DNA sequence: TGTGAGCGA
């Protein structure tokens, strides 16, 4: 009565068992999507309004933790906001609270997203932190 | 012009 599911196995799965090459899609491999970075005091905030400034970020994120520094990325030529910024907290726990307290929330009329910033190598002092594309 | 999903000079 019951043993009929095995016989009625999906034809699609038949190939997987007949194939000698067991190559399942690795989950730990590089994913096309953007994986969340590891916990850090540096937060990456996106979805900011063009009118949002670093002060707005600092005040908005300071309500969930001690913000050491907040900065909105702006264009050097035009000076306009790029629509995202960075917020650095005093500790990792404050950063986590800031993410859970501001991620998916409204700021300046726009829904913003807060997450850990990607690990980035520091600038070399020998180059005085000058951009590689600046002769 | 800065109505876009983006990681900083």
């Amino acid at each position: 009565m019951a043993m009929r599911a095995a016989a009625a196995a999906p034809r699609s799965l038949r190939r997987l068992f007949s194939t000698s090459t067991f190559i399942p899609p690795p989950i730990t491999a590089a994913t096309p999507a953007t994986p969340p970075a590891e916990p850090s005091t540096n937060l990456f905030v996106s979805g900011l309004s063009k009118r949002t400034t670093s002060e707005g970020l600092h005040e908005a994120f300071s309500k969930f933790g001690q913000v050491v520094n907040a900065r909105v990325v702006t264009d050097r030529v035009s000076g306009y906001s790029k629509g995202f910024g960075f917020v650095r907290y005093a500790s990792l726990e404050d950063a986590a609270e800031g993410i859970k307290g501001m991620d998916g929330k409204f700021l300046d009329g726009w829904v913003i997203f807060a997450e850990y910033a990607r690990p980035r190598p520091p600038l070399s002092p020998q180059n005085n932190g000058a951009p590689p594309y600046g002769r």
Side-chain angles (χ1 to χ4, degrees):
Chain A
M1 300 183 185
M3 292 187 274
R4 56 175 176 159
R11 304 170 290 228
S12 305
L13 297 179
R14 283 248 171 186
R15 318 186 313 177
L16 299 179
F17 291 100
S18 302
T19 304
S20 303
T21 45
F22 247 94
I23 310 179
I27 310 177
T28 52
T31 49
T34 309
E38 20 186 297
S40 176
T41 50
N42 224 17
L43 259 57
F44 171 69
V45 186
S46 56
L48 298 177
S49 179
K50 304 294 184 184
R51 295 171 276 186
T52 304
T53 59
S54 302
E55 293 186 308
L57 266 181
H58 189 279
E59 291 190 21
F61 279 77
S62 288
K63 296 183 293 186
F64 298 95
Q66 185 175 357
V67 177
V68 180
N69 193 283
R71 176 207 226 155
V72 174
V73 180
T74 51
D75 189 84
R76 239 318 172 84
V77 184
S78 304
Y80 271 86
S81 193
K82 289 187 177 181
F84 62 92
F86 295 89
V87 176
R88 174 170 289 188
Y89 275 95
S91 71
L92 299 176
E93 48 187 42
D94 282 0
E97 292 297 310
I99 292 179
K100 292 183 292 187
M102 289 300 299
D103 181 53
K105 299 299 164 61
F106 280 86
L107 181 59
D108 224 45
W110 284 78
V111 181
I112 67 174
F113 293 92
E115 56 183 312
Y116 297 107
R118 289 178 176 176
R120 194 104 209 211
L123 301 174
S124 302
Q126 57 184 246
N127 204 22
N128 201 22
Y133 44 79
R135 274 193 295 187

